[in-house]
Amino acid sequence: MAEKWTSNSSIAVVMVPLPAQGHLNQLLHLSRLVSSYNIPVHYVGTTTHIQQAKIRAHGFDPVTITNIHFHEYQTPSFETPLPNPNASNKFPNHLMPSFYATFHLREPICALVRKFLSANTKKVVVIYDNLMNCVVQDLHEMPNTECYSFNSTSAFMSYSFLWEFKGKPVLPGTEHYDDIPSILDCFPTEFWDFLKIQEQFDGKIHCGKLYNSSRVIESLYLDLMAKEYDGLKQWAIGPFNPLEPKEKSKDSNKRHESLDWLGKQEPNSVIFVSFGTTTSLCDEEVKELAIGLEKSEQKFIWVLRDADKGDVFTSEVRKVQLPEGYEERIKERGIIVRDWAPQLEILAHSSTGGFMSHCGWNSCMESMSMGVPIAAWPMHSDQPRNSQLVTKYLKIGLTVRPWTRRDELVTSEIIENVVKILMASTEGDEMRKRAADLSNTIKKSVKDDGINRAEMDSFIAHITR
């Protein structure tokens, strides 16, 4: 806790994530990167979400890094409804109560910065999720404190958002998302109401922007964003995830079964199927996906679980039903994972040759880092934009279902065809080659003389100046 922390360091960094897995994960990985410069990092949140972030960290063990300090706070209890797999919109509306509950973090985080960190260091640097503006609104006014906004989505997404609200001007690169309908259709009203609260403070409280991205991935859109915010510093310092992930435990009893199974398969022979932590498939979608995977005759790992609840530690979980006898029929060719899967390690495995994904930004960055092409099936939010970046701009994937047909059922025939193209065709091999080339470029960029290492060094030099 904050009261027990003392340091003679000249700088302290505070991370303020939104309490959703994709956001918690990104700032926890960034904490690892910043702490590698011998800078103490203070990661803050509710007790539930701090524990969630720690348990689900993959590629490294945050508990073993002594320079990362966790600060857990209680917030008033709130109703945590179950995800609705039959909702017409896949956005996780059931998480909205936990988003609003973060408003209660404003005072304890202020106290942490004012009473303990600011008093013991020359400078406090606050890196906050750009959906947490309300929580950190007071911090920029404190002595020796600087705030930096973290953009949890791609620069491509950010620029296309501005592009749409400016009337869709014809500019280089914009043709890649001409067929996406209005961004207003990607988020429900409840989210826009929450965003309006955050926007009251946007631009007033931060000294610069950070992206979990890289110039070797989307330099065009990073440059366009720099022009939009002329004079405001920005850094693309991703990928945040480890490029050579390590398992948290070498204990074979704790090693995930999927990794043992992958070790017995041929290189690039397995497609990994997972739709992240905010998407639930209805029974009919599950059935069609199951049949399509079976008919494709390709090897697969399928993470079949509902979206996260506001509190992932509550016990009520929906047991998704598969066709009768399905798991017995496919046991030689595929496995079903119903709990948390080590996605980064699975993508990094040499046997994994494809990824059917919702195209959340974490998943996109991890897949690109590991050189795995994507079968893009966007569900909500930034995912339709990300899928365009993957399939049209980078050309390292193909589309399962166009966003314009999101109300239509994806049939088993569509699934079968997509999986066969990605895993067993010349076209799929070409995508895999481009994905592998991009991965190699990304890995080179974080070496000592790489462009991303220079970007990270530039950010650290700036905050320690």
Side-chain angles (χ1 to χ4, degrees):
M1 296 300 291
E3 293 78 358
K4 298 179 182 178
W5 179 82
T6 59
S7 174
N8 295 318
S9 174
S10 62
I11 183 173
V13 172
V14 180
M15 297 286 180
V16 188
L18 182 79
Q21 180 59 36
H23 300 248
L24 293 165
N25 186 56
Q26 291 191 66
L27 285 188
L28 184 55
H29 280 301
L30 180 56
S31 298
R32 175 185 62 87
L33 293 175
V34 172
S35 71
S36 71
Y37 287 82
N38 199 30
I39 295 173
V41 178
H42 301 264
Y43 187 94
V44 303
T46 69
T47 299
T48 295
H49 293 108
I50 292 286
Q51 294 306 311
Q52 176 181 331
K54 285 181 182 179
I55 289 172
R56 290 182 170 180
H58 50 185
F60 83 112
D61 189 346
V63 177
T64 63
I65 299 180
T66 57
N67 241 3
I68 300 180
H69 309 273
F70 293 95
H71 302 269
E72 303 175 13
Y73 301 107
Q74 296 290 340
T75 58
S77 60
F78 55 89
E79 184 180 356
T80 56
L82 292 173
N84 178 10
N86 299 308
S88 58
N89 187 310
K90 292 291 187 183
F91 185 88
N93 269 339
H94 61 284
L95 294 182
M96 293 307 300
S98 64
F99 293 176
Y100 280 104
T102 63
F103 292 177
H104 295 281
L105 293 174
R106 179 181 171 185
E107 289 188 12
I109 291 175
C110 278
L112 169 69
V113 174
R114 180 186 296 111
K115 295 180 182 178
F116 301 102
L117 301 182
S118 181
N120 289 285
T121 59
K122 292 180 180 178
K123 183 187 292 184
V124 180
V125 172
V126 180
I127 299 175
Y128 66 95
D129 192 293
N130 63 2
L131 293 176
M132 295 288 279
N133 295 350
C134 182
V135 174
V136 301
Q137 62 180 285
D138 310 305
L139 302 185
H140 73 293
E141 297 176 346
M142 295 185 184
N144 63 322
T145 301
E146 295 178 354
C147 297
Y148 295 84
S149 173
F150 167 60
N151 194 345
S152 62
T153 62
S154 63
F156 181 95
M157 163 64 184
S158 298
Y159 186 74
S160 70
F161 185 100
L162 294 174
W163 170 82
E164 180 174 328
F165 281 96
K166 283 190 162 190
K168 302 183 179 181
V170 179
L171 291 171
T174 58
E175 67 274 8
H176 294 292
Y177 40 77
D178 270 342
D179 62 343
I180 300 179
S182 172
I183 199 167
L184 296 173
D185 295 330
C186 300
F187 297 91
T189 301
E190 292 85 347
F191 176 79
W192 289 112
D193 292 341
F194 179 77
L195 185 62
K196 286 176 183 175
I197 296 173
Q198 307 304 322
E199 286 179 339
Q200 296 176 44
F201 311 101
D202 186 38
K204 301 176 183 177
I205 57 178
H206 63 76
C207 304
K209 288 182 175 289
L210 300 177
Y211 292 89
N212 179 11
S213 188
S214 168
R215 293 197 172 277
V216 303
I217 297 172
E218 48 174 357
S219 60
L220 169 62
Y221 299 99
L222 288 163
D223 289 343
L224 288 170
M225 286 301 293
K227 289 180 181 178
E228 288 292 329
Y229 295 101
D230 186 31
L232 183 68
K233 290 184 177 295
Q234 67 172 32
W235 294 268
I237 53 178
F240 292 174
N241 57 270
L243 298 181
E244 295 181 0
K246 296 179 176 60
E247 294 178 48
K248 282 198 289 187
S249 173
K250 295 298 182 183
D251 185 343
S252 60
N253 293 326
K254 296 179 181 178
R255 193 167 191 261
H256 200 272
E257 61 175 344
S258 61
L259 299 175
D260 290 330
W261 184 83
L262 274 172
K264 301 172 185 176
Q265 312 308 320
E266 295 295 317
N268 293 324
S269 64
V270 177
I271 184 168
F272 176 51
V273 181
S274 178
F275 302 108
T277 57
T278 61
T279 296
S280 298
L281 298 181
C282 70
D283 291 341
E284 196 171 11
E285 289 170 321
V286 170
K287 178 183 176 182
E288 293 296 319
L289 179 54
I291 295 171
L293 288 172
E294 184 178 12
K295 286 184 174 179
S296 76
E297 299 185 343
Q298 302 301 307
K299 295 178 180 178
F300 64 88
I301 295 175
W302 179 9
V303 180
L304 180 58
R305 58 189 297 277
D306 263 359
D308 281 351
K309 296 165 288 183
D311 182 349
V312 300
F313 300 106
T314 54
S315 58
E316 190 173 0
V317 178
R318 167 186 171 228
K319 173 79 170 179
V320 183
Q321 295 301 313
L322 288 165
E324 187 174 353
Y326 183 80
E327 292 187 67
E328 179 64 24
R329 293 199 306 272
I330 59 90
K331 67 180 181 180
E332 299 300 324
R333 199 170 62 247
I335 59 173
I336 308 296
V337 178
R338 292 184 179 272
D339 57 3
W340 180 252
Q343 177 167 297
L344 192 61
E345 288 90 338
I346 291 172
L347 290 172
H349 201 285
S350 61
S351 296
T352 303
F355 183 18
M356 184 176 289
S357 171
H358 61 306
C359 288
W361 190 235
N362 264 312
S363 292
C364 287
M365 286 296 290
E366 290 173 6
S367 200
M368 287 186 277
S369 299
M370 300 306 162
V372 180
I374 296 173
W377 187 345
M379 301 292 181
H380 60 80
S381 306
D382 61 319
Q383 298 163 18
R385 256 66 172 175
N386 296 339
S387 71
Q388 295 285 297
L389 178 71
V390 165
T391 61
K392 291 189 174 182
Y393 185 66
L394 297 171
K395 295 181 171 56
I396 56 167
L398 73 167
T399 301
V400 176
R401 177 193 61 186
W403 179 246
T404 51
R405 297 172 60 184
R406 63 192 177 278
D407 295 330
E408 300 176 18
L409 178 68
V410 179
T411 65
S412 60
E413 290 78 14
I414 293 174
I415 298 294
E416 177 187 0
N417 185 54
V418 165
V419 173
K420 283 181 175 178
I421 291 173
L422 189 64
M423 301 303 295
S425 75
T426 301
E427 183 181 350
D429 290 340
E430 291 170 350
M431 292 176 195
R432 218 164 349 266
K433 174 64 165 57
R434 286 191 290 270
D437 290 344
L438 179 59
S439 173
N440 289 334
T441 303
I442 290 170
K443 288 175 179 177
K444 288 179 183 177
S445 76
V446 301
K447 301 293 185 183
D448 287 346
D449 57 349
I451 187 172
N452 260 51
R453 179 58 183 267
E455 196 96 347
M456 186 68 188
D457 288 347
S458 169
F459 174 65
I460 297 297
H462 178 77
I463 63 175
T464 58
R465 69 195 185 282

